[in-house]
Amino acid sequence: MSTEYNYDEQGQFFPYFILTITGLITFPLTYSLLKPSKDPENTAPRIHSDFRPPHADLVEGQKRKQKRRERKLKRMIAVTVGYLLMGYMMYLIAVTAKAIPKIWDPYDILGISKSSNETQLRSHYKALALKYHPDKIKPNPALNETLELLNQRFSEMTKAFKALTDEEIRNNYMQYGHPDGKQSFSMSIALPKFLISDGNGKYVLAVYGLLLGVLLPYVVGKWWYGTQSMTKEGVLIASAGNLFREYEDKISEGGIVYALSNGEEFKQCLGGDKAEYGLAKVEGRILAKDGTSFTRGLSEKEKNKLEDLDNGVRRKTLGLLWAYLGRVELEDPILEDEKLEAAPIAYILNESFTAVALAYCNTEPILSSFRVTQNIIQAMPPNSSPLLQLPYITERIAQTIEGDSRNHMTVQQFIGLKDEKRRKLAVGQGLLTESQYKTAITLAKQLPLLKVEKAFFKVMGERFITPSSLVQFVVKARIIPPGTTPPAVNELDLEDIDPEEDDLDALHGRKKNDKPKTNGEKKSSTEDKPSLPPLAHAPYYARDHSPRWFVFLADNKQGKMVVPPFTIVSLDKEVFDEQGNHTFAMQTLKMQFQAPPQAGEYSFVMHLLSDSYVGMDTKMDVTLTVDETAKAEQMAAEDEISEPDEDSLAGQMNALKTGGISGAPSKKPKKKSKEETSDDESNTDEEEEETSETDTDTDTETEEE
């Protein structure tokens, strides 16, 4: 027996091979393109407003430009080519003739029925021998018959006859499917033969060389160096190094804006001739000292820094950033477009700067970096009025509303005024019109203000916080838009129920710890789904942004961060009901850290910061009480001492002493009714759902930063 390897000269198997390989690549790519995006920017609700800022068309143009970048054009081209190639292979499969291997069948060769007996076989074979024996028949040229063909045909007839009559030959046929025993077989390779034909070998080697020696190393190298050149915040390593060198312990918000201008990413959009185009005009607008141009937020120190810069790209970048924050009209569509393009880059760079500030643990730079994020999202200069977040309110109108107050008025303070007083301050000649005022108020009542109702420390499953234990800092808060009246707080919502000991998913934070439903009550399909707040209202920012909150603990005496920020992207309860109304549901935010190694009282300051809105941050004093381990064990042991049984003598004496009974104790019933049994079971369920008793009281007074 021999094995023969053949190439697919007829193209019978080659299309199947290419179709399979192409499908294995194309179908996963198709799924990655068509699967719904889970990014909050694509799934979160939106704040409704008909306000359109100046150059709204440029803002929308920048958003469309970013979406085109995110469309994964290369992947779309690969999928298109894949389906075209698959279609062509299916066409070849349909039009290519199938070469079906013929099975050796003695009955078919002899032309006799399989039900024939041996006598019929011999008689039929004699008739065929008289007709087709080479000595009895001559080749017919009209049928292209040759003597060799006649001999071969008669030989096949003889083999077929013997396979049915001769015992040994019949055994070979039954065992191997052929009277001659084992036969050689061929194996086809699903590649066209022209690939190894004479003269084509060098081209095939050249293709292999390009694929394996050039393309594959290029793709792998590009991927590797691409990942190594970026930080986890998505900025270039060189930019992160520049930001690290710009960091100072006492850096101001204006200093952070100056540091952000040193990002290498700006060279990609403002490099070359763009660096000099319109530079003088930008600087003339932001450095002017008259009342018609932007001067607020840009201190004399920052102005001097700008004027001392020699790098054209960085100088223009810094000018565009200050023009964006001040909403300065540059009166040039190209410069306006560049100004809008610089803001999202600065936002990403500021995330990297925040990471640097967090590494140093100094509170002031951390707070400043978060405030710069708010300023970038809302296009507001540092230390400006929060009222600028509302439509149509300019710096001059905000100053008029605030009057002679030393502190800026927040949006919630403005909306908290009586409508008559608020309208008197904001509506009038040179101020807002009636329609503009309504638009501003309508928008303000949709902003997601996260109001803290309670904050406390606890240890899961314990009554006391002991040294070095794993502490949870729990924040109970509600989304209460300014000007809305929420329902009263339910005290039960302020409790934090520990999960069952065998509920590993809840213990590891993999699902929400809800109470089990009773009395046939069905669980809502949306209860376990995280709820997203509405997208930030940022009409000047050329990106859709989902709001985030950050919670961290700091030590005011040392000016240091104690517990790193916990990021809140989604909430555990629905923000809106099915009708689109606010639910005012109590949200639970948790962060874990290790307790100090020594017992005592530790005073911290909790900072809850929004990255999207100015003036909606919360600052609260909290106290962590750590008890000695021995004291905690003693208190736990005392709790385990139960009251004496009423049926015992000690129990009766104790009851008489305390006035619990006036006579002999009543006998306990031997059997309980079904109602009493169910009542006892419900009481047991309530006892099992006791809340953790390690809640540490905190100061309830909050201060808006």
Side-chain angles (χ1 to χ4, degrees):
M1 181 186 69
S2 62
T3 304
E4 182 181 357
Y5 293 92
N6 298 318
Y7 283 88
D8 188 21
E9 297 182 33
Q10 292 81 20
Q12 181 179 357
F13 304 107
F14 172 65
Y16 289 97
F17 175 74
I18 299 299
L19 179 64
T20 303
I21 297 300
T22 307
L24 290 175
I25 299 174
T26 305
F27 290 139
L29 288 178
T30 304
Y31 173 75
S32 67
L33 286 175
L34 298 181
K35 69 176 180 180
S37 175
K38 296 182 180 180
D39 294 336
E41 287 76 11
N42 298 321
T43 58
R46 295 178 179 270
I47 292 177
H48 302 287
S49 176
D50 56 359
F51 172 70
R52 286 179 59 84
H55 309 293
D57 55 335
L58 295 180
V59 175
E60 294 299 324
Q62 283 290 333
K63 290 183 179 180
R64 290 192 297 268
K65 185 178 179 181
Q66 178 63 20
K67 289 181 179 180
R68 286 195 296 269
R69 293 173 182 169
E70 297 174 352
R71 283 178 184 170
K72 305 172 184 177
L73 183 60
K74 294 180 181 178
R75 193 171 300 180
M76 294 176 63
I77 294 175
V79 169
T80 303
V81 173
Y83 279 112
L84 290 176
L85 185 58
M86 291 172 63
Y88 179 65
M89 291 299 108
M90 287 189 287
Y91 168 77
L92 291 180
I93 292 172
V95 301
T96 302
K98 307 295 186 299
I100 303 175
K102 188 175 181 181
I103 300 175
W104 196 88
D105 186 0
Y107 294 98
D108 184 53
I109 294 172
L110 294 174
I112 192 171
S113 174
K114 292 184 179 181
S115 61
S116 302
N117 55 33
E118 187 173 350
T119 302
Q120 292 173 332
L121 283 172
R122 293 181 181 279
S123 176
H124 183 71
Y125 176 69
K126 286 181 180 181
L128 291 177
L130 292 174
K131 182 178 180 181
Y132 292 106
H133 195 279
D135 294 340
K136 303 291 184 179
I137 190 173
K138 294 181 180 181
N140 187 359
L143 300 176
N144 294 326
E145 291 181 345
T146 61
L147 184 60
E148 182 180 359
L149 180 62
L150 295 178
N151 289 330
Q152 184 179 357
R153 181 169 59 185
F154 185 74
S155 176
E156 285 294 312
M157 291 179 182
T158 303
K159 285 182 181 181
F161 174 71
K162 290 183 178 181
L164 297 175
T165 57
D166 187 273
E167 189 67 25
E168 182 179 354
I169 298 177
R170 184 180 180 85
N171 289 336
N172 286 338
Y173 167 66
M174 296 299 293
Q175 186 174 358
Y176 303 109
H178 199 277
D180 294 336
K182 291 184 179 180
Q183 300 294 300
S184 63
F185 65 93
S186 62
M187 185 179 296
S188 297
I189 301 175
L191 291 175
K193 193 174 182 179
F194 73 84
L195 291 177
I196 60 168
S197 299
D198 294 340
N200 293 337
K202 55 185 178 182
Y203 300 112
V204 175
L205 289 176
V207 172
Y208 276 118
L210 289 175
L211 290 176
L212 301 179
V214 178
L215 183 60
L216 182 61
Y218 170 76
V219 173
V220 174
K222 184 178 180 181
W223 168 80
W224 173 256
Y225 288 110
T227 57
Q228 295 299 309
S229 63
M230 305 287 286
T231 66
K232 65 179 183 179
E233 289 82 20
V235 304
L236 296 173
I237 294 292
S239 298
N242 294 339
L243 295 174
F244 177 79
R245 287 186 286 271
E246 296 284 351
Y247 174 84
E248 297 176 0
D249 290 341
K250 300 296 183 181
I251 192 169
S252 63
E253 295 169 28
I256 294 177
V257 175
Y258 175 80
L260 299 181
S261 65
N262 203 12
E264 296 292 325
E265 285 80 357
F266 290 112
K267 294 181 180 179
Q268 301 175 4
C269 60
L270 297 176
D273 297 336
K274 294 182 179 180
E276 299 299 329
Y277 176 80
L279 176 59
K281 189 172 188 178
V282 172
E283 292 183 350
R285 296 291 297 168
I286 66 172
L287 297 178
K289 296 184 181 296
D290 57 7
T292 61
S293 299
F294 163 68
T295 55
R296 187 179 180 87
L298 183 61
S299 64
E300 194 67 31
K301 179 181 178 181
E302 303 303 330
K303 291 179 182 179
N304 294 334
K305 285 183 178 180
L306 174 61
E307 293 173 342
D308 294 340
L309 285 175
D310 296 328
N311 188 322
V313 174
R314 186 176 183 185
R315 186 162 183 163
K316 185 176 182 180
T317 298
L318 186 56
L320 291 174
L321 289 179
W322 281 113
Y324 168 79
L325 295 174
R327 305 178 186 177
V328 178
E329 289 291 332
L330 299 179
E331 301 175 353
D332 187 320
I334 297 177
L335 295 177
E336 292 288 349
D337 197 57
E338 291 176 346
K339 178 182 72 174
L340 295 173
E341 187 177 6
I345 299 175
Y347 172 83
I348 298 175
L349 290 170
N350 190 53
E351 286 193 332
S352 181
F353 184 86
T354 303
V356 174
L358 291 173
Y360 281 97
C361 296
N362 292 315
T363 305
E364 283 306 317
I366 294 173
L367 293 175
S368 296
S369 63
F370 282 125
R371 293 190 186 109
V372 169
T373 300
Q374 300 171 355
N375 294 330
I376 293 175
I377 296 295
Q378 294 297 332
M380 295 169 51
N383 304 315
S384 57
S385 173
L387 298 180
L388 294 178
Q389 299 170 107
L390 301 181
Y392 304 111
I393 293 185
T394 62
E395 187 71 35
R396 183 180 58 82
I397 295 176
Q399 290 177 354
T400 303
I401 294 174
E402 293 174 348
D404 298 332
S405 175
R406 294 183 178 181
N407 298 321
H408 289 302
M409 181 183 293
T410 63
V411 174
Q412 50 270 35
Q413 290 173 342
F414 177 63
I415 299 300
L417 299 175
K418 292 184 178 181
D419 184 69
E420 181 181 356
K421 182 177 180 180
R422 188 173 61 223
R423 192 182 299 271
K424 184 178 180 181
L425 291 174
V427 180
Q429 185 69 27
L431 301 174
L432 300 179
T433 64
E434 190 65 33
S435 62
Q436 291 175 343
Y437 172 78
K438 290 181 179 180
T439 300
I441 298 302
T442 302
L443 174 68
K445 292 182 178 181
Q446 299 180 68
L447 300 181
L449 172 63
L450 190 61
K451 184 178 184 298
V452 177
E453 301 291 353
K454 185 180 180 181
F456 55 89
F457 299 94
K458 60 172 283 189
V459 174
M460 188 180 300
E462 300 292 340
R463 292 185 56 192
F464 302 97
I465 299 176
T466 56
S468 301
S469 58
L470 187 60
V471 179
Q472 284 188 342
F473 180 62
V474 183
V475 178
K476 295 286 186 174
R478 297 190 293 176
I479 296 287
I480 304 178
T484 57
T485 303
V489 176
N490 186 347
E491 293 298 325
L492 295 178
D493 292 337
L494 298 179
E495 298 177 353
D496 187 60
I497 301 175
D498 289 336
E500 300 293 337
E501 293 183 0
D502 58 348
D503 192 352
L504 297 180
D505 288 333
L507 289 172
H508 289 86
R510 289 192 288 263
K511 70 178 181 179
K512 187 177 66 175
N513 181 37
D514 289 332
K515 296 181 180 179
K517 302 297 181 180
T518 58
N519 300 328
E521 189 177 340
K522 293 184 178 179
K523 192 173 184 178
S524 173
S525 60
T526 60
E527 279 188 3
D528 286 337
K529 295 181 180 179
S531 176
L532 295 172
L535 294 180
H537 174 73
Y540 299 92
Y541 187 64
R543 296 289 187 275
D544 289 331
H545 180 73
S546 179
R548 296 179 298 172
W549 288 270
F550 301 91
V551 181
F552 72 93
L553 299 179
D555 186 345
N556 261 9
K557 295 180 180 179
Q558 298 181 2
K560 292 286 186 177
M561 175 187 67
V562 178
V563 180
F566 170 71
T567 305
I568 304 164
V569 178
S570 60
L571 304 170
D572 61 339
K573 301 285 183 64
E574 290 290 342
V575 179
F576 302 98
D577 58 18
E578 295 179 354
Q579 288 74 33
N581 301 319
H582 283 275
T583 61
F584 303 105
M586 188 67 68
Q587 311 291 343
T588 302
L589 317 174
K590 294 182 180 181
M591 58 192 300
Q592 288 187 343
F593 63 97
Q594 190 173 19
Q598 297 178 351
E601 290 191 353
Y602 298 87
S603 298
F604 302 123
V605 176
M606 181 206 72
H607 293 277
L608 190 150
L609 306 169
S610 169
D611 77 332
S612 304
Y613 298 102
V614 179
M616 296 189 179
D617 303 329
T618 300
K619 182 179 179 181
M620 176 186 289
D621 294 324
V622 293
T623 302
L624 171 63
T625 302
V626 180
D627 293 315
E628 294 285 355
T629 305
K631 177 183 177 182
E633 292 176 351
Q634 179 182 359
M635 295 296 294
E638 292 177 358
D639 291 340
E640 292 178 358
I641 300 176
S642 59
E643 293 290 337
D645 193 349
E646 292 183 0
D647 289 342
S648 64
L649 180 61
Q652 295 181 29
M653 294 179 63
N654 180 70
L656 288 170
K657 185 184 297 183
T658 58
I661 58 174
S662 57
S666 61
K667 295 184 179 180
K668 295 182 180 178
K670 295 181 180 180
K671 295 183 180 180
K672 295 182 180 180
S673 65
K674 293 183 179 179
E675 294 180 358
E676 292 173 340
T677 304
S678 62
D679 291 340
D680 290 345
E681 291 177 354
S682 63
N683 292 336
T684 303
D685 292 339
E686 292 176 359
E687 291 174 1
E688 290 179 352
E689 293 175 355
E690 290 182 352
T691 59
S692 175
E693 299 182 9
T694 57
D695 296 0
T696 303
D697 294 337
T698 61
D699 296 337
T700 57
E701 296 182 0
T702 61
E703 178 183 346
E704 293 178 354
E705 296 179 324

